[in-house]
């Protein structure tokens, strides 16, 4: 009986760790983006979200569904950006203030 309980606990732990670590960056998202009006640049690496080339203010981020959650050095609350369109050449983001910005590579 103890062996089954331990197996259950370990299996539950593995499932929780796997679910929590599923915050991988979408490879389509990574790269350098420029807004259509040329006012905003966005660089997204595997771990950083960099706006307007300001490397010192680079934010950590993760994606969940169609939303990008950013935070500076892990601080909360997260800033949320909703992805409306994403393909190889286009990225349309709804900013936290509900403004849609269209980016291209």
């Amino acid at each position: 009986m103890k062996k089954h309980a331990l197996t259950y606990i370990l299996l539950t732990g593995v499932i929780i760790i796997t679910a929590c670590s599923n915050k991988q960056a979408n490879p389509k998202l990574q790269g350098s983006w420029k807004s259509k009006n040329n006012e905003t640049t966005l660089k997204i690496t595997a771990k950083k979200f960099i706006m307007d080339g300001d490397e010192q203010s680079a934010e950590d981020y993760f994606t969940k569904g169609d939303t990008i959650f950013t935070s500076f050095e892990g601080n909360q609350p997260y800033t949320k950006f909703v992805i409306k369109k994403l393909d190889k050449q286009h990225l349309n983001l709804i900013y936290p203030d509900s403004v849609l910005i269209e980016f291209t590579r």
Side-chain angles (χ1 to χ4, degrees), residues 58-82:
E59 298 188 30
D60 300 324
Y61 81 98
F62 64 92
T63 58
K64 188 172 183 181
D66 63 351
T67 305
I68 302 169
F69 296 88
T70 67
S71 69
F72 186 71
E73 296 179 351
N75 294 325
Q76 291 185 6
Y78 296 114
T79 304
K80 299 176 190 173
F81 298 85
V82 177

Side-chain angles (χ1 to χ4, degrees), residues 23-35 40-55 57-64 66-71 79-95 101-105:
K23 297 179 180 179
Q24 295 294 325
N26 183 335
K28 285 186 192 177
L29 205 57
Q30 296 177 33
S32 295
W33 299 92
K34 180 175 56 172
S35 66
T40 305
T41 60
L42 183 60
K43 182 178 180 184
I44 302 175
T45 68
K47 297 183 182 210
K48 297 292 181 182
F49 188 91
I50 305 162
M51 248 190 239
D52 297 325
D54 189 4
E55 298 273 339
S57 295
E59 298 188 30
D60 300 324
Y61 81 98
F62 64 92
T63 58
K64 188 172 183 181
D66 63 351
T67 305
I68 302 169
F69 296 88
T70 67
S71 69
T79 304
K80 299 176 190 173
F81 298 85
V82 177
I83 301 168
K84 287 300 279 185
K85 177 180 181 181
L86 175 62
D87 60 34
K88 291 181 181 181
Q89 296 298 319
H90 301 92
L91 170 63
N92 295 352
L93 286 181
I94 298 179
Y95 274 52
I101 306 288
E102 298 178 1
F103 292 92
T104 57
R105 288 204 195 257

Side-chain angles (χ1 to χ4, degrees), residues 11-28:
L11 184 58
T12 303
V14 169
I15 291 170
I16 291 171
I17 290 170
T18 303
C20 292
S21 67
N22 191 17
K23 297 179 180 179
Q24 295 294 325
N26 183 335
K28 285 186 192 177

